[in-house]
């Protein structure tokens, strides 16, 4: 499997990437529903192997995060739609929120009438405490929010920040709330194991085993109770087992990469087996170590970009569905990021242009002698493309890129690395080029900050990086990122973002190939009301916060 995580810190989403075998036929009935009966159970699966019990919602390595069930217990202040970043949020535990003073102040009105699963009322004091907990514990403040004051009066919670939080709006609005009466008893909230989770969500823990976690519906909830009375989260040993479970109906909802998805999943029950993988504002691409010669030369990186065939990467490496191709030369995914693209790049799309690539190279002093490209010093240009051996989509992407680069005389080799060794190499900057992802957010800022920010730049050999894996050093980019983050109006933000796009196109610190997704596979045999292309109310991934929104929207397929 492939976990979406930074080199230093495991995160929540899990992407799968091993070759899958054909799956069994049939679509089993819901385990709690015989023929013609009303379904009461929803079976969710992830290919993450045996779990260790820990329901701590802050920890990306916890069972609750790995399988996604933490979002059924712990709720956010505001529910945002990750695939429609410009939509206003949906009031959740907060009924109102207001920013002031160039996003250095934020005020919440906390919803009345909400109770914790242990029966005690949730109050604004719990909300203030949830922020204070993050401020006081560096391990819980994963987004490094510069908290100032945190105060509570009645049902109001007011926050201040030491600098503009325009770029962190979504991260602050979607903060989940924990009960002060429980969490104040923990010695180290960033590390403690939580065995008895108490939340405001519609479900509570029923049972746990390393293979299956079961949640049951609470007796009461501040919204209408969902139709799903029980959620069973099963952690399958690998992608093959997870795909088999999807094919035979043992799992009804999952997020897993299936190279031959049509044959092994959809065709097993075309009427009910569905998948939807919408793009969001994050990307994947070939990160180039810009400290290594001759790849420190942007002309070489631009030439490589012109040689790479994104159609082949999408259709072969990503099975024609998993990671949608990035078309804009800016690297901004569309349609999610269409409105952010600078006027000068509106109609400019990536296209294979080998002749254009060769011109880039000759203009920069490179020479193509036969089928060998030599750099300005006369040395043949070679590159090692590396990713973990088990990440089959990335490895296929690299094989395609290897073949593409031969067209401009670059001899590439594909290193199918040990996963731990790969993480260490990328963390410390000891690589030539690798497929990797970026952060995502409500604007392209998060993409560019992850790629180009000099503030997170570390020298080769020093680990603990949180981005800028290619060690890209461009003071103009860092300045533009700061200008965007601290701008006082939209015009200034647009100017800064347009500057970042120009740097991306001209310097090509990474070669963007694909958009991130927040997709999922699901069955409509027992449950209907899933998000899809026609009803994009939420991302389809079961480990995202919006999974709660989906479960609340589901209804029995029998109509009962």
């Amino acid at each position: 499997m492939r976990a979406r995580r930074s080199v230093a810190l495991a995160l929540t989403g899990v992407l799968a990437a091993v070759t899958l075998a054909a799956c069994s036929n049939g679509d089993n009935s819901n385990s709690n529903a015989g023929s013609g009966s009303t379904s009461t159970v929803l079976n969710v699966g992830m290919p993450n192997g045996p779990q260790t019990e820990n329901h701590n919602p802050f920890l990306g390595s916890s069972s609750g995060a790995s399988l996604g069930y933490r979002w059924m217990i712990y709720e956010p202040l505001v529910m945002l739609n990750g695939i429609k970043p410009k939509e206003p949020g949906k009031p959740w535990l907060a009924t109102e929120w207001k920013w002031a003073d160039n996003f250095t102040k934020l005020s919440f009105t906390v919803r009345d009438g909400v109770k914790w699963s242990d029966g005690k009322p949730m109050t604004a004091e719990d909300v203030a405490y949830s922020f204070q907990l993050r401020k006081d514990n560096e391990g819980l403040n994963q987004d490094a929010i510069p908290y100032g004051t945190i105060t509570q009066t009645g049902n109001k919670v007011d926050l201040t920040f030491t600098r503009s939080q325009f770029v962190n709006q979504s991260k602050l609005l979607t903060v989940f709330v924990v009960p002060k009466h429980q969490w104040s008893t923990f010695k180290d909230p960033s590390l403690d194991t939580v065995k008895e989770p108490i939340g405001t969500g519609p479900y509570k823990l029923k049972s746990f085993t390393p293979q299956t976690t079961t949640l049951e519906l609470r007796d009461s909830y501040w919204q209408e109770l969902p139709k799903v009375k029980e959620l069973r989260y099963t952690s399958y040993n690998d992608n093959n087992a997870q795909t088999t479970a999807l094919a035979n109906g043992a799992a009804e909802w999952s997020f897993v990469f299936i190279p031959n998805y049509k044959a092994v999943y959809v065709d097993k029950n075309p009427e009910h087996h569905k998948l939807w993988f919408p793009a969001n504002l994050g990307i994947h691409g070939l990160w180039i170590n810009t400290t290594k010669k001759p790849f420190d030369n942007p002309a070489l990186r631009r030439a490589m970009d012109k040689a790479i065939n994104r159609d082949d990467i999408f259709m072969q490496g990503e099975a024609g569905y998993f990671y949608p191709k990035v078309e804009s030369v800016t690297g901004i995914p569309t349609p999610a990021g269409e409105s952010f693209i600078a006027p000068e790049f509106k109609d400019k799309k990536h296209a294979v242009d080998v002749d254009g690539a060769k011109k880039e190279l000759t203009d920069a002093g490179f020479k193509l002698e036969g089928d060998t490209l030599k750099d300005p010093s006369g040395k043949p240009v070679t590159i090692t493309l590396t990713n973990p051996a088990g990440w089959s989509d990335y490895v296929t992407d690299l094989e395609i890129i290897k073949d593409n680069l031969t067209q401009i005389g670059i001899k590439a080799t594909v290193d199918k690395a040990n996963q731990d060794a790969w993480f260490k190499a990328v963390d410390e900057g000891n690589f030539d080029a690798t497929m990797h992802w970026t952060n995502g957010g409500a604007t392209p800022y998060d993409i560019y900050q992850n790629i180009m920010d000099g503030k997170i730049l570390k020298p080769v050999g020093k680990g603990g990086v949180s981005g800028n894996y290619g060690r890209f050093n461009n003071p103009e980019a860092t300045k533009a990122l700061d200008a965007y983050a601290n701008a006082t109006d939209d015009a200034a933000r647009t100017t800064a973002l347009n500057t970042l796009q120009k740097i991306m196109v001209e310097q090509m610190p990474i070669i963007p190939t694909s958009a991130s997704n927040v997709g999922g596979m699901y069955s409509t045999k027992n449950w209907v009301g899933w998000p899809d292309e026609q009803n994009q109310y939420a991302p389809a991934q079961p480990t995202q916060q919006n999974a709660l929104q989906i479960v609340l929207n589901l209804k029995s397929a029998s109509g009962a």
Side-chain angles (χ1 to χ4, degrees):
M1 70 183 176
R2 167 143 54 86
R4 292 191 62 188
R5 56 187 177 181
S6 68
V7 174
L9 179 68
L11 299 177
T12 60
V14 177
L15 307 180
V18 296
T19 304
L20 304 176
C23 300
S24 60
N25 292 310
D27 190 349
N28 293 344
S29 297
N30 184 295
S31 60
N32 200 35
S35 178
S37 68
T38 300
S39 300
T40 59
V41 175
L42 175 63
N43 294 288
V44 187
M46 289 296 290
N48 298 351
Q51 299 289 305
T52 299
E53 184 173 13
N54 189 356
H55 314 296
N56 188 328
F58 287 100
L59 303 185
S61 58
S62 71
S63 53
S66 176
L67 302 183
Y69 63 80
R70 60 176 169 173
W71 305 128
M72 305 298 156
I73 297 172
Y74 299 97
E75 296 187 289
L77 289 162
V78 183
M79 188 72 76
L80 299 179
N81 187 343
I83 55 176
K84 292 189 175 183
K86 291 221 162 186
E87 283 190 350
K90 184 179 178 63
W92 215 260
L93 294 183
T95 57
E96 293 180 341
W97 56 96
K98 183 179 180 180
W99 291 95
D101 296 352
N102 191 29
F103 298 92
T104 60
K105 293 183 179 179
L106 174 59
S107 298
F108 289 103
T109 301
V110 178
R111 186 180 297 277
D112 292 325
V114 178
K115 289 187 176 182
W116 297 105
S117 53
D118 63 358
K120 296 181 180 179
M122 184 209 75
T123 67
E125 185 179 4
D126 292 305
V127 174
Y129 174 79
S130 296
F131 282 107
Q132 192 69 45
L133 197 60
R134 289 163 168 86
K135 178 183 177 180
D136 294 343
N137 294 270
E138 185 178 353
L140 303 184
N141 190 12
Q142 296 174 356
D143 297 311
I145 302 296
Y147 290 106
T149 60
I150 301 170
T151 58
Q152 175 256 322
T153 305
N155 67 342
K156 305 284 187 182
V157 174
D158 296 304
L159 311 174
T160 66
F161 310 94
T162 59
R163 61 180 181 272
S164 174
Q165 292 304 291
F166 178 83
V167 298
N168 289 323
Q169 291 177 73
S170 62
K171 295 169 184 174
L172 286 157
L173 295 180
T174 57
V175 156
F176 59 85
V177 182
V178 297
K180 181 179 180 180
H181 64 272
Q182 180 185 38
W183 283 77
S184 59
T185 66
F186 293 158
K187 182 178 180 181
D188 186 346
S190 65
L191 296 174
D192 284 358
T193 297
V194 177
K195 290 291 184 75
E196 298 180 3
I198 298 171
T200 60
Y203 295 93
K204 59 184 179 180
L205 181 68
K206 180 179 180 181
S207 63
F208 176 89
T209 72
Q211 289 74 40
T212 302
T213 301
T214 303
L215 305 184
E216 61 183 352
L217 193 63
R218 289 172 51 185
D219 293 333
S220 62
Y221 175 55
W222 64 271
Q223 298 191 74
E224 181 182 348
L225 283 170
K227 306 300 181 187
V228 178
K229 297 189 182 306
E230 189 169 284
L231 288 161
R232 295 177 190 165
Y233 288 82
T234 298
S235 191
Y236 294 91
N237 284 338
D238 53 33
N239 296 358
N240 192 16
Q242 176 62 80
T243 305
T244 300
L246 283 166
N248 65 28
E252 299 170 280
W253 191 13
S254 186
F255 173 64
V256 61
F257 176 62
I258 308 177
N260 46 346
Y261 72 96
K262 192 172 186 300
V264 303
Y265 173 60
V266 175
D267 288 349
K268 300 302 178 183
N269 190 327
E271 181 183 356
H272 298 299
H273 287 180
K274 309 295 181 181
L275 71 165
W276 186 48
F277 280 78
N280 66 348
L281 286 179
I283 63 174
H284 297 248
L286 187 70
W287 291 65
I288 299 168
N289 190 332
T290 62
T291 68
K292 290 198 170 187
K293 291 186 176 297
F295 301 98
D296 60 341
N297 189 327
L300 177 56
R301 302 195 295 267
R302 291 196 302 268
M304 293 168 65
D305 172 74
K306 286 181 168 65
I308 290 174
N309 191 319
R310 289 162 178 78
D311 288 323
D312 287 348
I313 287 174
F314 176 59
M315 294 306 298
Q316 298 171 35
E318 305 304 332
Y321 81 98
F322 198 64
Y323 291 144
K325 67 178 178 178
V326 168
E327 294 189 298
S328 172
V329 295
T330 65
I332 297 175
T334 54
E338 187 74 46
S339 64
F340 296 103
I341 297 176
E344 64 181 304
F345 302 123
K346 276 292 184 189
D347 299 318
K348 294 187 178 181
K349 297 183 178 181
H350 288 292
V352 175
D353 181 6
V354 175
D355 290 339
K358 290 177 179 178
K359 186 177 188 307
E360 287 269 16
L361 293 166
T362 55
D363 288 350
F366 291 79
K367 292 181 180 179
L368 190 59
E369 297 180 359
D371 59 358
T372 299
L373 180 69
K374 292 188 176 180
D375 68 22
S377 71
K379 293 181 180 179
V381 178
T382 63
I383 189 169
T384 299
L385 312 173
T386 184
N387 273 113
W391 298 5
S392 64
D393 60 330
Y394 269 5
V395 170
T396 302
D397 294 346
L398 293 183
E399 293 288 354
I400 292 168
I401 291 170
K402 170 187 171 182
D403 290 344
N404 294 160
L405 295 181
T406 63
Q407 298 178 84
I408 55 173
I410 298 176
K411 182 180 179 181
T413 57
V414 174
D415 171 37
K416 300 176 184 178
N418 168 272
Q419 182 169 306
D420 291 339
W422 177 83
F423 273 112
K424 180 176 172 60
V426 174
D427 188 30
E428 297 178 353
N430 296 315
F431 69 98
D432 290 350
T434 184
M435 289 296 293
H436 203 290
W437 51 90
T438 70
N439 288 343
T443 75
Y445 168 87
D446 297 87
I447 297 174
Y448 291 146
Q449 187 271 338
N450 199 226
I451 296 170
M452 298 189 276
D453 195 350
K455 290 182 177 179
I456 58 175
L457 175 65
K458 293 191 178 182
V460 171
K462 186 169 183 179
V465 298
S466 59
N468 201 347
Y469 306 111
R471 268 64 179 181
F472 183 65
N473 189 358
N474 186 302
E476 185 185 7
T478 303
K479 183 178 178 181
L481 288 164
D482 281 344
Y484 185 92
N486 295 294
T488 57
D489 55 52
D490 287 342
R493 278 187 281 271
T494 298
T495 298
L497 190 59
N498 289 354
T499 297
L500 291 166
Q501 293 176 58
K502 193 170 189 295
I503 294 170
M504 183 72 176
V505 172
E506 293 179 354
Q507 297 289 311
M508 203 62 64
I510 78 165
I511 298 174
T513 60
S514 313
S516 294
N517 73 65
V518 275
M521 291 85 171
Y522 52 80
S523 171
T524 61
K525 180 176 181 181
N526 295 306
W527 299 102
V528 295
W530 302 95
D532 57 23
E533 192 65 31
Q534 287 70 47
N535 189 14
Q536 302 183 19
Y537 68 87
Q541 192 171 319
T543 58
Q544 296 287 317
Q545 197 169 61
N546 297 86
L548 171 59
Q549 199 175 2
I550 293 173
V551 170
L552 291 172
N553 200 59
L554 294 181
K555 294 178 174 56
S556 173
S558 69

